[in-house]
Amino acid sequence: MITHFGPHPAGLGDTDHKGPLEDCPIGECQDRAIQQQAQERRQATRAATVDLPIPIVVTRHQCLYCRTTRSKKTAAIAHISRCWKNPANRTCKTCEHYEPAGDGGHCFPERPCGCNVYAEGCNEGVDIPDDRPATHCPKWELRREEWPC
């Protein structure tokens, strides 16, 4: 806090005011007091500032079937309507007749034999496109592991 008496700090001659600048009746003293307080606040803020990340809240919309997320609700709704794991779409991924591709794993530890390398297929003879599973299949049946209890 700055106080003054004697010669006026604003160059306005002698003053008999002996108190804080903000109590001085001269407007220039009040302005100077406000500037001084702002500078003190800035210095205190600089001393207390630590470079930490600022937390923000982000809303994402998640598919109930494959757990894919979208930032826009309309995009999530559109995804759910075509999701390969949504039973309502009757895709290969949720069908009892679907045989997933063999991963080429090892029959014996550290001894690859290649006996379980095969492409995905359908036990009912439905052709599965290479780039995506078949949808709305007439031979589709809900896979047993996905039956509701």
Side-chain angles (χ1 to χ4, degrees):
M1 173 182 349
I2 297 177
T3 61
H4 69 282
F5 62 91
H8 196 277
L12 301 174
D14 287 341
T15 181
D16 57 356
H17 178 74
K18 295 182 181 179
L21 285 177
E22 56 265 12
D23 293 341
C24 183
I26 300 173
E28 290 179 32
C29 290
Q30 293 171 354
D31 293 342
R32 185 172 169 200
I34 291 170
Q35 290 173 358
Q36 180 67 25
Q37 290 171 352
Q39 184 177 1
E40 288 172 2
R41 279 195 304 271
R42 283 192 300 272
Q43 288 173 347
T45 303
R46 279 190 211 117
T49 300
V50 178
D51 293 330
L52 294 175
I54 299 170
I56 60 171
V57 176
V58 177
T59 300
R60 302 286 295 178
H61 304 277
Q62 185 177 51
C63 175
L64 301 169
Y65 306 102
C66 71
R67 306 192 52 86
T68 298
T69 64
R70 300 283 192 267
S71 61
K72 295 183 180 175
K73 187 175 183 178
T74 54
I77 291 169
H79 165 81
I80 290 170
S81 70
R82 65 178 184 275
C83 179
W84 296 345
K85 293 186 178 182
N86 181 352
N89 293 330
R90 300 170 53 126
T91 66
C92 297
K93 303 286 185 183
T94 59
C95 182
E96 179 66 26
H97 308 296
Y98 176 68
E99 287 293 328
D103 62 358
H106 307 305
C107 292
F108 301 102
E110 312 230 353
R111 294 180 61 199
C113 64
C115 67
N116 57 354
V117 177
Y118 51 88
E120 65 184 352
C122 176
N123 292 336
E124 290 292 313
V126 176
D127 289 330
I128 300 174
D130 291 335
D131 60 339
R132 58 183 167 71
T135 57
H136 304 290
C137 179
K139 297 183 180 181
W140 179 88
E141 291 179 23
L142 182 63
R143 189 180 318 151
R144 284 193 178 108
E145 64 188 45
E146 296 191 19
W147 284 3
C149 297

